[in-house]
Amino acid sequence: MTAITSARGNTEMVNVRRTESHDVSGIISLISYFTEKMFGRINVIYLLEKANLAVTLSNEKNEVFAHAAFLDYPNWNLVDQADWESFLHENYSDEKCTPLNTLFMHLFVAKDEYAVGCAQEIIRTVFKAVPEVHFILLFIPSVVDLGPGLGAFFEQMTSVPGSTVDVDFTLFVCHRHQHCPQLYIRKARVEDHDDLMPIFMHHNEILRETYGEYFLAELIDAQDEKNHAVVCEDDGTAVGFMSVCSEVNIQLLHDCFDLGPFHGLCKPHPDDILILPQEPSIETDEDKSSQTSQEAESVLSQNSECISAHDMDIQMDTKTEDILPQTLDVVTSHSTTESVQHNVSEEGVNTVSNAELPVDDVRGTDLKATGTPTLETDERDSFHPVYRGAVTAFCIQLFCIDEKHETRSLDFLQYVFNLFPDKDFCIITVPHLVPEFLLIQNFVRVNPSSNSTLDHELYVFHRAGLLKSFKVRAATTSDTPAVEMLIKTLDLNDSILDDLKVFTQARRDPDGTPVQAFVAEVLDQIVGISVIKNEMDIEYIRSHYNIEDFIYFSHHQQEEHGHLYHFALNPIFHHYTKYFLKEILRLAYKSCLYYPIYPQSVDGEFQNPYAHSLTSALHYMVPVRPRRQIVYPLEKLGINAPSKQVSKDQLSYALNHINRKLMLEPKVSINARIVVVGASNVGISFLETLIFCPHLKFNNLTLISTHGLPGKNPPDSKNRGFLIHSHCFNDKDYAWMSLCSWVNVVVGKMTGIDRATKHVVVSKGKKVPYDHLVLCTGQQYQVPCPTGAEISKLQTNREVIHSGKQRYTGEVPTNLFNLSDDEDCLKAGHWLKENFINSHGNVIVYGNTIDIYSTAQTLLSLGIHGSRIHLVQPPLSSNVTCLNNNAIEKAVKEALSKNDVRVYYDSILAQWNEGDHPNPITCASFTTNTRPFKLQCTAFFNFSNKGVDYETFKAINDACLVYDGRLVIDANFHTNDVTIRAAGPLTKFSNIYYANEWTHSNFSSKEIGFQLAAAMLNLFDPTLESVSEPPEDLDRLIPMYKGCKIQGGVLPGGYNYLHISKPGIPTHLDVQITQPNYGMQIITGDATKGNYFRIHVNQYSMVETITCLSKEPFPVSNYICLFGQHERVLNNLCSRWKEGLIKDLYSYFREPWSMAIYHDRFIDLKKELRQILISSQGDGLPSLEQLVHQIVDGELILSEKPKKYLKRFFQQNIYKRRVEEGILSYLHYNNYHLPMYAWPGIV
């Protein structure tokens, strides 16, 4: 909070922040006649949509005191927004204004008596928030006075003789140096000690405790040729300190980081070894991918924040292997690329070395943008380039600056580079857990190598990065050779050049879409290229992605939406990425840019119709969440169906977005190493939640998984049906997330956890360091352990000692299948096709979970005759069956019998191969309650004995984490190690909660993952308020999650099955129905006929359970939306059922009235309507909630029934009209999804 003083001497505490949408009404209330004379008639919402920066001052009551909006082109439309720079230079004497250092004020309003103080605070905030800005310009009509608020800080700019500027307007300027000047940098002196120590001590006292009271004075006194100490001062007082040293442990950096993009921070030398020497043999794809050009200097690839694949010893997914190294080995010819070699002392740089300016761009569609892609073991992993040249880097040893002056941190660099004229790079290392401060936000983060154990991040800044002559302009034909040289080693360079040629020749691509190309120049050398096109599919984007989380769609014209196709920028100027994007928007007359990332198919190459250049700009864009889509009954809706633009089905992709508002909005970079073990639904949901935080950028997310990321297999694969589906995620979800763009993937299995050194041991002994470890491996089907009973002795189950928890330690048969994920299912399907389908023999499916039925149906669908399939079910551990519905069980049994599938009940595995060597299994014997039996076996599918994998258990147990049948956690997901969290079926709650029957297995895995991420975000998200400790009487309660549990799949007989239920402890359905508070069930159809639909409505009239069994496919995502709805919302479901009006629930929920319920924003409508009812809508008028409380408490005496009174009160007062307005507004705004509804004005 900041104090401002009024003209009368009154003081008010105000908070300076970015403007939010709820400020609009407060801003409008401050607009006066004088405001309109100065700025014109302003549409505030429209202005905020297009403003690059909008600042609001509010007091402790959140009342708006002042507001200002700034754009990157002049107000009053005096000149074309793309041409203002030349206009300014031609007509005004001050020629220092450039698009990089200038903003224009388009609106300023304030409470009159506080105008001066508010204006000063806003201007100071702008200069602090945008360090590059040196001038704020403002055009106003010549007949209007600036007024006391702005007049104190703006001065008039004089026009040059012969100026053609409109005499009706006057230009005013506000200079940075009057409010937040650049700091004076000088050599440090011992007497600076007293000024600097309080700044150091403000952060921590570790340095003083380690090095003594006068460590700073000693450091300053020890300066020599290799060590320098400098300070920045403000008004004669030292307010910042930097210690730099030319001695760099370059070998350590080479070992721990991928410095190839910077030529190892060394001068080029003819004896440099940049590639792995090749043996004379036929070159494989892997060999090709490991090469870099012998004469080339490596270039920073798109994955500027990831671990290099060259150095990882962990198995790589071969599907990604072919494409990955190309993203890391992009090169630019050192011998041919021109370099910046000018003396530019006026730019603040004495000399820019002849190091080349490499390009920062990688093409591809399914690549990691900010983390490590999947990794493999290879001989080249141990190879490191050898650099013989002199080291050309110096390091920052110590840096600290007063918080008030932190935005001027970059002022140090010009001075310290002058101290080392022979050095090109300034480097700094910071611990992973240190938040990214303003200085290093201008540096480039270097990829750590896979074997790095250094607990620091490395940041690099090149001398040329200080240049301010960064200019963006439209590309011309003459730029083609320079652009070609810039991108010659990129994999999609031909595509970029083709699009550039289209722009220079026709300005449109062959289908008529407008194309625009822009280049970035520094000292007349091209250092960047970007190609955009008009976004022609904006209606599809609006209907399928939540872009309205970031923009008000109606305030953007269709031609203002652009599609980013290519973006390549020299990494030296990486910190100008947002400025490059901002200039593209200004020069192209766009307000938004969209960048899709399409999924890469298993056997796909890059050259597909959707190939874009994967861009480093991705880090500065925000990932956009997809929207849940309604499954429309198109034939039933007819002409009332949505347009094809909305309902069409096309290849799904992850969408990234940036707009004018976000250009100057900083992201918070988080370098903490968060390692997730297990690609379970919980783990994927956790990662999804983190990556979709628009204001956070996680640089070190790592997933350890035995099969890498899910969602890589063909979507139409029949082999997926082996396992029942949880409907947490599907292939479209994985494509929409594009986790591979944000998450490092280590393909391997966790075998150990070292809590002391904080690393996870993965297959083959490789180590993955962590700061926060998340364990969510779930439970898998374990190899069953035969009891060893000899069936020749006719033993029964009662005579056999059987423990389902006994672990099998023998050799695992090759024809035994324990399926856990899609990858296992795919392998099993391939094995069956190659070894079983066209041969003889039986397949045994053993277990009593629902997966045995889905597997039996999959086997039948593969063409295996039912007589070859044997379902063997061990005894149940409780009276609850896996289907828990007599009608469905009957239908499934009849279908199995009809297909000649034999089913054996209460059978326990006794022996494989009669006790002989079990690999492969040729027969299996089982004991029952009566006579044992033996079956010939060619393939054995096991769905019994689900539990924690033994290697996972051993890693957890050896790490001394508390394990009691499962990994023990508290209500906040913590294990007994504060840095290790766990979630999902792997875990159980501690015994202190006295709730052993409740575990995460009882809840939705997707919701568990979301809540886990929400708990961890409190550690990283500065926008979240700190979580207070729960009261003592509540800290022993386990959290109860509300999301529904879902099971779905195809059962024998071709029945499509779906079961949606609330979280709970499994209870037999017949027992549930007998409870007095059960509610009612609504059933239509017959399970055996394949049209069964059951809905359970609880005692509170809420839908609690949905069960479907149908021969025909049905819209699962629609039915999931029914869970938790009140039956009245479902068109008075119960009363219609009782009146006999509902004959078929499938048809009922296909009717047009139900479409709004399936809409993704229906929940927002319900919240809005509830808010109307619980808040007072008029002076002295109580809310409906208050009335209910008064009636319940007996404060209101009624002469009629309460329900009748409340209904009459609702209808006679403003509430009814407000509710109707809310519903109509919802239908009108979402008309593109819900055209089947009518509203006043269209009928």
Side-chain angles (χ1 to χ4, degrees):
M1 301 291 280
T2 305
I4 59 173
T5 305
S6 70
R8 300 177 182 176
N10 299 325
T11 300
E12 187 80 31
M13 299 299 295
V14 295
N15 180 39
V16 189
R17 56 175 172 79
R18 291 178 182 266
T19 303
E20 300 171 2
S21 57
H22 59 75
D23 295 324
V24 170
S25 58
I27 295 169
I28 293 175
S29 68
L30 295 176
I31 294 178
S32 63
Y33 173 76
F34 176 74
T35 306
E36 292 188 358
K37 294 285 286 183
M38 181 182 293
F39 296 100
R41 296 182 64 85
I42 297 290
N43 181 329
V44 175
I45 297 178
Y46 179 82
L47 180 63
L48 293 181
E49 277 299 290
K50 301 303 173 70
N52 297 105
L53 181 63
V55 180
T56 292
L57 266 62
S58 59
N59 64 3
E60 293 171 324
K61 299 178 182 178
N62 211 23
E63 297 172 335
V64 175
F65 258 57
H67 163 81
F70 302 88
L71 281 79
D72 54 5
Y73 57 85
N75 55 328
W76 283 105
N77 294 323
L78 292 178
V79 62
D80 189 296
Q81 69 179 51
D83 298 327
W84 68 259
E85 186 178 10
S86 59
F87 167 82
L88 221 61
H89 293 168
E90 291 169 4
N91 292 284
Y92 293 92
S93 55
D94 192 339
E95 297 184 2
K96 294 180 180 179
C97 295
T98 68
L100 175 62
N101 64 20
T102 305
L103 284 176
F104 293 84
M105 180 181 282
H106 279 234
L107 178 65
F108 172 78
V109 290
K111 292 194 172 184
D112 291 339
E113 58 180 304
Y114 293 96
V116 175
C118 290
Q120 182 178 22
E121 195 59 36
I122 285 177
I123 291 170
R124 186 183 296 131
T125 299
V126 171
F127 283 129
K128 283 186 176 181
V130 194
E132 298 84 11
V133 169
H134 285 256
F135 309 100
I136 299 175
L137 301 185
L138 168 64
F139 280 99
I140 66 169
S142 301
V143 296
V144 178
D145 182 58
L146 265 180
L150 299 178
F153 310 107
F154 281 79
E155 59 188 52
Q156 185 174 341
M157 285 182 70
T158 56
S159 56
V160 298
S163 168
T164 59
V165 69
D166 191 339
V167 295
D168 293 334
F169 288 90
T170 306
L171 177 60
F172 289 86
V173 60
C174 177
H175 296 273
R176 163 181 287 280
H177 63 78
Q178 296 173 343
H179 299 273
C180 188
Q182 286 185 259
L183 299 175
Y184 173 64
I185 313 296
R186 59 169 173 81
K187 276 290 192 77
R189 300 187 290 261
V190 174
E191 50 265 33
D192 295 322
H193 176 273
D194 292 343
D195 291 336
L196 295 170
M197 281 308 293
I199 302 174
F200 278 96
M201 295 306 105
H202 174 71
H203 294 281
N204 60 63
E205 297 193 3
I206 295 176
L207 289 170
R208 184 167 64 181
E209 293 170 359
T210 306
Y211 299 109
E213 184 75 28
Y214 301 104
F215 75 92
L216 191 57
E218 293 168 1
L219 187 62
I220 294 172
D221 193 46
Q223 296 183 70
D224 54 28
E225 292 181 354
K226 297 180 179 179
N227 298 276
H228 296 278
V230 297
V231 298
C232 60
E233 66 174 40
D234 182 20
D235 198 21
T237 302
V239 294
F241 176 84
M242 180 180 286
S243 171
V244 291
C245 177
S246 61
E247 291 185 342
V248 176
N249 188 343
I250 199 68
Q251 189 56 50
L252 176 64
L253 297 182
H254 286 170
D255 293 340
C256 295
F257 297 94
D258 180 15
L259 289 168
F262 305 98
H263 202 79
L265 303 178
C266 296
K267 299 282 187 184
H269 191 278
D271 295 333
D272 289 341
I273 303 174
L274 304 181
I275 62 171
L276 181 67
Q278 299 293 317
E279 295 180 6
S281 61
I282 297 175
E283 195 171 58
T284 64
D285 287 343
E286 291 93 331
D287 296 330
K288 292 177 183 177
S289 64
S290 70
Q291 295 181 22
T292 59
S293 171
Q294 186 76 42
E295 82 240 30
E297 189 170 324
S298 300
V299 177
L300 180 64
S301 75
Q302 158 56 32
N303 296 352
S304 60
E305 286 86 2
C306 72
I307 302 171
S308 169
H310 301 272
D311 305 313
M312 192 64 191
D313 287 328
I314 296 170
Q315 181 187 1
M316 176 186 204
D317 183 344
T318 55
K319 279 85 175 178
T320 312
E321 169 188 1
D322 294 335
I323 61 176
L324 167 68
Q326 300 173 27
T327 72
L328 300 173
D329 292 333
V330 185
V331 296
T332 300
S333 171
H334 179 71
S335 60
T336 54
T337 301
E338 294 184 8
S339 57
V340 179
Q341 302 179 36
H342 298 274
N343 190 335
V344 282
S345 57
E346 70 274 12
E347 292 282 5
V349 182
N350 288 336
T351 308
V352 181
S353 76
N354 58 4
E356 76 197 46
L357 303 184
V359 64
D360 183 4
D361 182 283
V362 179
R363 64 92 187 98
T365 53
D366 187 74
L367 294 179
K368 187 159 166 354
T370 60
T372 309
T374 47
L375 310 153
E376 77 165 343
T377 302
D378 196 275
E379 292 179 2
R380 67 172 180 268
D381 292 342
S382 58
F383 172 74
H384 287 273
V386 178
Y387 304 99
R388 309 287 190 188
V391 177
T392 181
F394 65 91
C395 65
I396 298 175
Q397 291 181 306
L398 194 60
F399 171 74
C400 195
I401 191 168
D402 181 30
E403 187 176 348
K404 179 182 175 184
H405 300 87
E406 189 178 7
T407 58
R408 302 309 311 169
S409 299
L410 207 61
D411 293 347
F412 275 104
L413 293 187
Q414 176 183 330
Y415 188 91
V416 295
F417 268 111
N418 291 341
L419 295 175
F420 301 107
D422 60 329
K423 305 294 185 183
D424 294 327
F425 293 99
C426 174
I427 66 172
I428 184 172
T429 62
V430 294
H432 288 107
L433 294 179
V434 171
E436 194 176 73
F437 45 94
L438 285 172
L439 175 68
I440 60 174
Q441 288 177 7
N442 294 285
F443 284 54
V444 177
R445 181 175 170 270
V446 181
N447 312 337
S449 58
S450 64
N451 55 1
S452 172
T453 56
L454 198 63
D455 289 332
H456 284 70
E457 296 282 351
L458 174 63
Y459 288 84
V460 172
F461 189 91
H462 192 277
R463 176 186 294 273
L466 292 170
L467 294 168
K468 301 299 182 184
S469 57
F470 189 94
K471 180 181 179 182
V472 181
R473 59 169 175 80
T476 63
T477 306
S478 60
D479 295 326
T480 303
V483 171
E484 187 174 359
M485 188 62 63
L486 181 75
I487 64 171
K488 60 182 283 187
T489 51
L490 298 185
D491 295 284
L492 279 190
N493 59 351
D494 290 339
S495 175
I496 299 175
L497 292 172
D498 288 345
D499 285 336
L500 178 60
K501 184 177 179 181
V502 167
F503 169 73
T504 57
Q505 291 183 351
R507 299 294 196 265
R508 291 178 181 272
D509 64 12
D511 64 4
T513 305
V515 179
Q516 293 170 286
F518 300 93
V519 293
E521 280 186 327
V522 175
L523 301 178
D524 298 323
Q525 179 178 325
I526 291 178
V527 297
I529 172 72
S530 180
V531 179
I532 69 169
K533 300 182 182 180
N534 279 15
E535 179 53 74
M536 306 305 290
D537 217 7
I538 192 61
E539 286 300 327
Y540 177 87
I541 288 177
R542 183 195 185 191
S543 60
H544 284 72
Y545 298 88
N546 274 307
I547 58 172
E548 286 164 305
D549 286 348
F550 305 101
I551 63 172
Y552 281 103
F553 187 82
S554 58
H555 289 282
H556 299 261
Q557 301 298 317
Q558 179 161 347
E559 61 273 13
E560 290 185 294
H561 297 277
H563 184 122
L564 182 63
Y565 270 77
H566 307 291
F567 186 98
L569 181 63
N570 185 297
I572 290 172
F573 303 103
H574 184 72
H575 53 294
Y576 284 138
T577 300
K578 267 201 172 181
Y579 170 68
F580 194 179
L581 291 169
K582 182 168 74 74
E583 281 296 275
I584 290 171
L585 290 181
R586 180 178 70 88
L587 297 173
Y589 306 95
K590 304 296 182 192
S591 58
C592 304
L593 285 177
Y594 303 91
Y595 179 75
I597 301 177
Y598 287 89
Q600 187 67 33
S601 61
V602 175
D603 52 357
E605 293 295 330
F606 280 107
Q607 307 307 324
N608 61 52
Y610 303 104
H612 289 57
S613 294
L614 190 64
T615 167
S616 59
L618 196 62
H619 248 337
Y620 298 93
M621 306 178 88
V622 291
V624 186
R625 278 189 177 274
R627 296 180 61 180
R628 186 184 68 247
Q629 296 299 301
I630 302 171
V631 181
Y632 295 100
L634 295 176
E635 292 185 5
K636 191 177 186 69
L637 292 174
I639 61 171
N640 292 322
S643 68
K644 290 184 179 180
Q645 284 289 95
V646 172
S647 61
K648 68 180 178 181
D649 190 19
Q650 68 178 46
L651 183 62
S652 301
Y653 56 82
L655 184 69
N656 298 276
H657 164 78
I658 196 164
N659 59 55
R660 298 184 64 87
K661 291 187 295 185
L662 296 174
M663 283 301 172
L664 299 179
E665 184 84 34
K667 277 190 177 185
V668 178
S669 286
I670 297 161
N671 289 325
R673 296 167 297 184
I674 302 174
V675 176
V676 179
V677 182
S680 61
N681 288 327
V682 172
I684 298 300
S685 177
F686 170 79
L687 292 170
E688 177 196 33
T689 306
L690 294 188
I691 67 173
F692 278 111
C693 291
H695 57 289
L696 302 179
K697 181 176 71 173
F698 289 90
N699 290 327
N700 285 315
L701 292 177
T702 302
L703 173 67
I704 299 174
S705 170
T706 52
H707 294 136
L709 285 171
K712 298 172 294 187
N713 297 324
D716 56 348
S717 173
K718 288 185 178 180
N719 303 323
R720 294 169 167 243
F722 284 107
L723 297 175
I724 213 72
H725 202 298
S726 67
H727 289 283
C728 288
F729 300 101
N730 57 32
D731 288 313
K732 282 193 172 183
D733 295 321
Y734 295 128
W736 285 331
M737 282 187 273
S738 186
L739 283 176
C740 52
S741 297
W742 310 102
V743 180
N744 310 326
V745 180
V746 176
V747 180
K749 195 171 187 179
M750 178 180 73
T751 58
I753 303 171
D754 191 323
R755 291 169 55 192
T757 58
K758 297 179 76 171
H759 66 252
V760 176
V761 182
V762 192
S763 315
K764 300 184 181 179
K766 301 306 173 185
K767 300 175 182 178
V768 180
Y770 69 85
D771 296 307
H772 298 278
L773 180 61
V774 177
L775 302 176
C776 44
T777 56
Q779 294 187 354
Q780 296 79 34
Y781 291 113
Q782 305 300 312
V783 177
C785 186
T787 61
E790 297 184 19
I791 62 171
S792 59
K793 296 181 180 180
L794 302 181
Q795 291 179 308
T796 64
N797 289 345
R798 275 189 293 179
E799 297 166 342
V800 173
I801 301 174
H802 173 62
S803 173
K805 294 184 178 180
Q806 189 172 358
R807 187 171 72 89
Y808 178 78
T809 57
E811 182 181 358
V812 178
T814 55
N815 57 343
L816 170 69
F817 298 97
N818 289 306
L819 306 183
S820 299
D821 55 23
D822 285 347
E823 195 74 21
D824 292 337
C825 295
L826 195 67
K827 291 177 181 176
H830 287 320
W831 189 94
L832 289 171
K833 290 174 182 176
E834 293 177 3
N835 302 285
F836 183 79
I837 292 177
N838 297 320
S839 63
H840 300 285
N842 296 330
V843 56
I844 296 175
V845 182
Y846 181 63
N848 50 29
T849 66
I850 192 172
D851 291 320
I852 65 169
Y853 295 125
S854 56
T855 295
Q857 173 58 27
T858 301
L859 295 172
L860 291 170
S861 68
L862 290 173
I864 301 171
H865 194 270
S867 60
R868 301 173 65 192
I869 303 172
H870 299 267
L871 264 61
V872 183
Q873 299 186 20
L876 292 169
S877 57
S878 70
N879 66 341
V880 182
T881 61
C882 58
L883 292 171
N884 198 17
N885 185 304
N886 294 332
I888 293 178
E889 288 174 2
K890 179 184 176 184
V892 170
K893 287 179 182 178
E894 289 183 5
L896 290 170
S897 177
K898 186 177 180 179
N899 284 282
D900 298 327
V901 177
R902 291 286 303 274
V903 183
Y904 307 82
Y905 299 99
D906 297 329
S907 304
I908 300 174
L909 177 64
Q911 288 183 342
W912 284 322
N913 298 353
E914 299 181 354
D916 296 334
H917 187 267
N919 191 14
I921 301 171
T922 56
C923 67
S925 53
F926 302 85
T927 57
T928 67
N929 291 329
T930 54
R931 293 177 59 86
F933 64 93
K934 181 172 71 171
L935 296 172
Q936 185 275 334
C937 177
T938 304
F940 193 105
F941 284 82
N942 171 54
F943 297 105
S944 68
N945 190 25
K946 204 168 193 178
V948 177
D949 176 76
Y950 176 73
E951 285 184 297
T952 301
F953 156 74
K954 192 171 186 309
I956 291 170
N957 192 60
D958 291 350
C960 297
L961 297 175
V962 179
Y963 193 94
D964 180 16
R966 301 188 191 186
L967 180 56
V968 176
I969 60 170
D970 65 13
N972 293 315
F973 306 97
H974 284 287
T975 63
N976 55 302
D977 186 322
V978 70
T979 63
I980 301 178
R981 293 169 174 78
L986 166 69
T987 65
K988 62 167 286 187
F989 290 113
S990 171
N991 289 334
I992 63 172
Y993 297 104
Y994 296 96
N996 287 336
E997 68 275 17
W998 286 97
T999 69
H1000 284 176
S1001 301
N1002 300 107
F1003 303 103
S1004 162
S1005 294
K1006 191 171 184 178
E1007 186 179 10
I1008 293 287
F1010 171 80
Q1011 295 294 344
L1012 171 60
M1016 284 200 69
L1017 281 174
N1018 286 304
L1019 300 175
F1020 306 115
D1021 192 345
T1023 65
L1024 296 177
E1025 296 181 2
S1026 57
V1027 180
S1028 57
E1029 290 293 324
E1032 287 188 14
D1033 55 339
L1034 294 180
D1035 63 356
R1036 291 293 182 265
L1037 297 178
I1038 64 170
M1040 298 301 288
Y1041 307 107
K1042 299 180 180 179
C1044 57
K1045 291 270 291 180
I1046 307 170
Q1047 284 186 326
V1050 184
L1051 303 184
Y1055 294 115
N1056 294 285
Y1057 171 74
L1058 176 68
H1059 181 66
I1060 305 169
S1061 62
K1062 76 169 187 177
I1065 299 169
T1067 309
H1068 199 284
L1069 180 59
D1070 294 339
V1071 176
Q1072 295 178 37
I1073 294 174
T1074 60
Q1075 301 302 312
N1077 59 352
Y1078 179 71
M1080 68 178 291
Q1081 61 177 347
I1082 300 173
I1083 300 175
T1084 64
D1086 186 335
T1088 56
K1089 294 179 180 178
N1091 60 356
Y1092 179 86
F1093 200 127
R1094 175 182 179 273
I1095 285 185
H1096 166 219
V1097 179
N1098 67 17
Q1099 59 180 328
Y1100 304 111
S1101 301
M1102 309 295 283
V1103 174
E1104 196 168 273
T1105 310
I1106 301 166
T1107 308
C1108 302
L1109 192 75
S1110 172
K1111 288 280 190 179
E1112 300 296 325
F1114 47 77
V1116 174
S1117 59
N1118 285 2
Y1119 294 167
I1120 293 174
C1121 299
L1122 302 176
F1123 177 81
Q1125 302 288 357
H1126 196 282
E1127 61 89 13
R1128 295 287 297 277
V1129 174
L1130 305 182
N1131 212 2
N1132 295 313
L1133 175 67
C1134 291
S1135 60
R1136 286 174 180 270
W1137 163 253
K1138 291 174 183 177
E1139 293 167 9
L1141 300 177
I1142 301 175
K1143 303 299 182 184
D1144 178 20
L1145 284 170
Y1146 289 104
S1147 299
Y1148 183 72
F1149 289 117
R1150 279 199 303 269
E1151 293 177 6
W1153 63 263
S1154 64
M1155 296 299 112
I1157 298 170
Y1158 310 140
H1159 194 264
D1160 63 320
R1161 293 176 181 162
F1162 185 67
I1163 187 172
D1164 297 327
L1165 173 66
K1166 290 172 64 177
K1167 290 178 180 177
E1168 180 185 339
L1169 299 183
R1170 175 173 173 77
Q1171 190 61 37
I1172 292 173
L1173 299 180
I1174 65 175
S1175 58
S1176 177
Q1177 298 296 314
D1179 294 335
L1181 192 67
S1183 69
L1184 279 169
E1185 185 182 47
Q1186 290 172 334
L1187 278 181
V1188 170
H1189 282 299
Q1190 290 174 8
I1191 293 172
V1192 171
D1193 295 340
E1195 298 175 7
L1196 194 63
I1197 308 300
L1198 302 177
S1199 59
E1200 55 188 328
K1201 291 184 177 180
K1203 186 175 180 180
K1204 186 177 180 180
Y1205 170 78
L1206 290 171
K1207 185 176 181 180
R1208 180 169 56 82
F1209 179 87
F1210 170 78
Q1211 293 175 338
Q1212 292 178 354
N1213 290 289
I1214 196 172
Y1215 291 98
K1216 182 174 184 291
R1217 182 165 62 84
R1218 290 282 171 84
V1219 167
E1220 289 174 348
E1221 288 173 352
I1223 294 172
L1224 291 174
S1225 175
Y1226 164 79
L1227 293 174
H1228 185 271
Y1229 190 78
N1230 296 289
N1231 177 52
Y1232 54 92
H1233 270 148
L1234 302 171
M1236 65 289 302
Y1237 291 89
W1239 66 86
I1242 70 165
V1243 293

